[in-house]
Amino acid sequence: MNLLQRLTLLTLLLLCAPLASMAHAQNQDATSAPSYSALAEVLENEQSRQQLIDQLRSLADQQTPAAQEAAESSEPAEPSIPSQLAETTSQIASGLSDQFTNLVDVTNDLLAGNVADDNAGFNSATFINAAMNLGMVIITTVALFWLLRRLAGPIFSRLSYWSRHGDGKTPVLRLVACVVLATAVDVLAIALAYFGGHLVATFLVGETGELTTQASLFLNAFMVIELLKAGLRVLFSSRYDGLRLLPISASEAGYWNRWLALLISLVGYGVMVLVPLININISTTLGQSVNTLIMFIAYFYAVTVIMKNRLRLRHAIRARAEQSTITAAQFSLILLSRIWYLIALAYFTVVLVLTLLSPAEALPFVLFATLKTLGVVVLGILLSSLLSQTIGRHITLSDELRRKLPLLEPRLNSYIPAALRFLRVLIVSMAVLLVSNAWAIVDLNAWYESEAGGKLMSKIISVAIILAVAAVVWVLLASLIEHKLNPETGSGVPSARAQTLLLLFRNAVAIALATLTIMIALSEIGINIGPLIAGAGVLGLAIGFGAQKLVQDIITGVFIQIENAMNTGDVVTLAGITGTAEKLSIRSVGIRDLSGTYHIIPFSSVDTVSNYMREFAYHVGEYGVAYRESIDEAIVQLQNAFDELAASEDNKHAILAPLEVAGVIALADSAVVIRVRIKTTPGMQWAVGRAYNRLVKLHFDSAGIEIPFPHSTVYFGVGKEGQAPSANLRVMEQEFDINGHPGGQAKPDEKLVPTASKAPVTNDAPNDDDK
């Protein structure tokens, strides 16, 4: 059995539940009525009452203690559900068979002219006169109602226009307000027509001052039926698009309005007017048969219309499902498109059976249950649409609030889908429960008054309040932190330390709030959270022993944050890595170095934190000059370069103090090294140093001060006489081509003399052998 068949079977069983309970109650009443009357007759007679008492006492004396105990303890067994369903099915089948047999017998009697007259005082002339008077009342009431509806037409048109094109208010609220006003006007027209017909029936027809039974039956039926039709016009208004609650076209609304109005008129006037008149004036047997015939005609008419529109309505519901953005709604609508006709057929079948077996009790029950079902469904659709149009759209805050709390608007809009989904599920659940209560499938009042129902509702409300309070607290705390981080509000631009601590505080609050909310919600549901807390403690202890490195990371991270050792955006050196701290957590720091590599360093591996971004910084420059240069002249040029640097627009804001000249710090192999120091703002020491190095090179070049480079001296040794020998050099000539390759035509006056190094040469000319 597939899902569709199971749901169909479940629907049929639920629809048959009220029928079974009603038939069971009728069976008990029927079997117990004669016993009550016989017992009352016995008790009324003093002699028979005394005899009954004596017999009961003698039977009590004769009964053994064991039998007496068994009799006291024995209770009637409750029949099982299958047996109840079997008994109900048997009663339904026998009742329908009796009704059908009765209808055939009455039809044969009518054809043979042998209708039994249950009313001995029947007079054809009186009947015709009463029928004419009733006809006058009917014509007057209907004509007055038609005239009042015509006069109310402009009111309906204006309400429909304002509902569709009015300004202000939510569209759903405008629609509901206009529908309520239009319904009030419609009900007023029905009431005026009713009172008009009542006046005509009382003072113009029949005996003055008396309302005939026939007129009373019609007027009551007119009031009930037209009120039902007014309810139909609320759902399927075909003339006024702005007064139609259901989102369907005018042609569809007109079709379903005509079909349902005809069905209501047929059943209503037939059962409430025609059948009672036949019972009073002709025959109750004939009236019962006519009632059966009307119900069968209405049933087959409804079945025909349902099967005719089965596929068309299925495609319409499926198209509506494809437009939905909620998975649960799509599944529900697709399922409804497949089984809607089965539900409708089951509904009309149950209505037929109930009205045939017990019309006096079943008809009001079915009527009120149907009205309650329609009201619940319409109210659920309206509430869902209202929620979608009020909180389902994008929330837009004021400019001032967005300036102060720029993340509040996206945060609120991120909560809307989940809130809508929860509210829609709640609406659907309540609608299902109310519909089940309307059809007596469940008794919500008894369930709520019971201990289990009261506890469950209390727990649901408590959990909902806890979740709502947690959400509000989180929004407030997150908004407060956001307010502190916003440079346009609060106390200005927050420091890097404040930003880091606030972000860590927000994460900690989120974790703590989520944990507390879950624990309190579980406690409200009834789950003992003591073992959970104990288990969490044991788990924490196990983690503490098994993950000592993690504990060390967290503890070190906490103290690093407390001591303000570094913040997000600082340039630091940790574990031999220098870079910018991009992300700080409670156990690690993320650093991006100069080459762009991102390093994650746990705090347990950090022994020293070198921060280049605290209060001020220095550019330390060491510049070498040749030994032949004047040291004082070099220092003057260094000062001139600093003066030009301090006067530039790009760097003067980063320099905090005059140039500090430490003087000569080293006599190197080929240079005299002079050290200077420039005090800058944190993080600007590298930019200031690069600009200063450029200016130093320019000033040294303009002053002719040599910045030496490494030199190499080749020493050939010294003889005993103290003179250096001649260098053994060989000068080689070679021709090159235009591209520098050997073998080409040499340029004029150009010779290549390859030498490995420079060396001092004596004035003694080399001999020919040394060339």
Side-chain angles (χ1 to χ4, degrees), residues 683-702:
M684 291 299 296
Q685 60 266 39
W686 298 286
V688 170
R690 289 190 295 269
Y692 185 66
N693 289 336
R694 172 181 172 274
L695 293 176
V696 168
K697 177 67 169 62
L698 294 177
H699 280 267
F700 276 12
D701 289 345
S702 64

Side-chain angles (χ1 to χ4, degrees), residues 167-499:
D167 297 331
K169 304 290 184 183
T170 306
V172 173
L173 294 179
R174 286 203 311 269
L175 175 62
V176 172
C178 292
V179 168
V180 169
L181 293 176
T183 304
V185 174
D186 210 354
V187 171
L188 180 61
I190 295 172
L192 292 176
Y194 173 83
F195 285 115
H198 193 280
L199 292 176
V200 170
T202 303
F203 298 101
L204 299 181
V205 176
E207 297 181 2
T208 304
E210 294 184 1
L211 182 65
T212 61
T213 304
Q214 295 85 353
S216 177
L217 289 173
F218 168 75
L219 291 174
N220 293 334
F222 172 80
M223 175 67 76
V224 174
I225 292 170
E226 292 305 326
L227 287 177
L228 292 177
K229 289 183 180 180
L232 283 180
R233 286 190 287 272
V234 169
L235 300 176
F236 304 102
S237 178
S238 58
R239 295 183 180 180
Y240 310 103
D241 295 336
L243 303 179
R244 183 171 56 248
L245 289 181
L246 294 182
I248 58 178
S249 62
S251 58
E252 287 287 332
Y255 174 80
W256 293 106
N257 189 22
R258 288 191 301 271
W259 174 67
L260 292 173
L262 179 60
L263 187 63
I264 291 174
S265 299
L266 173 63
V267 176
Y269 286 115
V271 175
M272 300 179 67
V273 179
L274 182 59
V275 172
L277 288 178
I278 294 176
N279 291 334
I280 294 172
N281 297 291
I282 301 178
S283 172
T284 55
T285 305
L286 181 60
Q288 187 177 4
S289 301
V290 171
N291 177 72
T292 303
L293 182 62
I294 291 173
M295 295 307 300
F296 272 111
I297 292 174
Y299 175 75
F300 287 116
Y301 173 64
V303 170
T304 303
V305 173
I306 290 171
M307 298 307 295
K308 179 181 178 181
N309 297 276
R310 178 172 63 90
L311 295 178
R312 186 167 65 90
L313 195 56
R314 175 179 181 177
H315 296 324
I317 298 176
R318 194 173 186 87
R320 180 69 62 178
E322 294 175 355
Q323 297 175 1
S324 178
T325 58
I326 303 176
T327 305
Q330 289 181 350
F331 176 77
S332 301
L333 290 175
I334 292 175
L335 183 62
L336 180 62
S337 68
R338 295 180 178 179
I339 66 172
W340 77 268
Y341 70 98
L342 297 175
I343 298 175
L345 292 176
Y347 168 77
F348 283 107
T349 302
V350 171
V351 171
L352 174 66
V353 173
L354 289 176
T355 51
L356 290 181
L357 294 181
S358 180
E361 299 177 2
L363 193 59
F365 171 78
V366 172
L367 177 61
F368 285 112
T370 303
L371 292 177
K372 290 178 183 179
T373 302
L374 291 177
V376 168
V377 172
V378 172
L379 184 61
I381 294 174
L382 289 178
L383 286 177
S384 180
S385 302
L386 180 62
L387 289 173
S388 300
Q389 294 186 7
T390 51
I391 67 174
R393 57 190 179 183
H394 185 80
I395 295 177
T396 303
L397 302 178
S398 62
D399 296 337
E400 180 67 18
L401 195 57
R402 281 203 305 269
R403 185 184 67 83
K404 294 181 179 180
L405 303 172
L407 297 179
L408 180 59
E409 182 175 317
R411 184 179 296 113
L412 293 176
N413 289 317
S414 65
Y415 296 155
I416 287 175
L420 276 179
R421 192 176 298 110
F422 172 75
L423 291 176
R424 282 171 177 159
V425 170
L426 182 62
I427 290 173
V428 171
S429 302
M430 291 300 299
V432 171
L433 290 176
L434 291 175
V435 170
S436 302
N437 183 70
W439 289 95
I441 299 174
V442 295
D443 191 352
L444 288 182
N445 294 328
W447 174 79
Y448 181 72
E449 292 176 356
S450 65
E451 183 179 359
K455 287 184 178 179
L456 180 59
M457 289 301 299
S458 176
K459 292 177 180 179
I460 293 175
I461 294 174
S462 299
V463 171
I465 293 175
I466 291 169
L467 295 179
V469 171
V472 172
V473 170
W474 167 244
V475 170
L476 292 177
L477 289 177
S479 300
L480 179 61
I481 295 173
E482 178 187 347
H483 176 75
K484 295 294 184 182
L485 292 175
N486 192 352
E488 298 183 4
T489 59
S491 57
V493 179
S495 62
R497 180 172 182 267
Q499 293 181 7

Side-chain angles (χ1 to χ4, degrees), residues 586-600:
I586 199 67
R587 63 163 299 271
S588 65
V589 57
I591 293 181
R592 191 175 299 277
D593 62 14
L594 187 62
S595 63
T597 305
Y598 186 75
H599 306 269
I600 297 179

Side-chain angles (χ1 to χ4, degrees), residues 11-32:
T11 303
L12 292 174
L13 290 175
L14 291 177
L15 289 172
C16 289
L19 178 61
S21 61
M22 188 177 298
H24 183 67
Q26 290 177 357
N27 186 26
Q28 288 182 348
D29 294 341
T31 55
S32 60

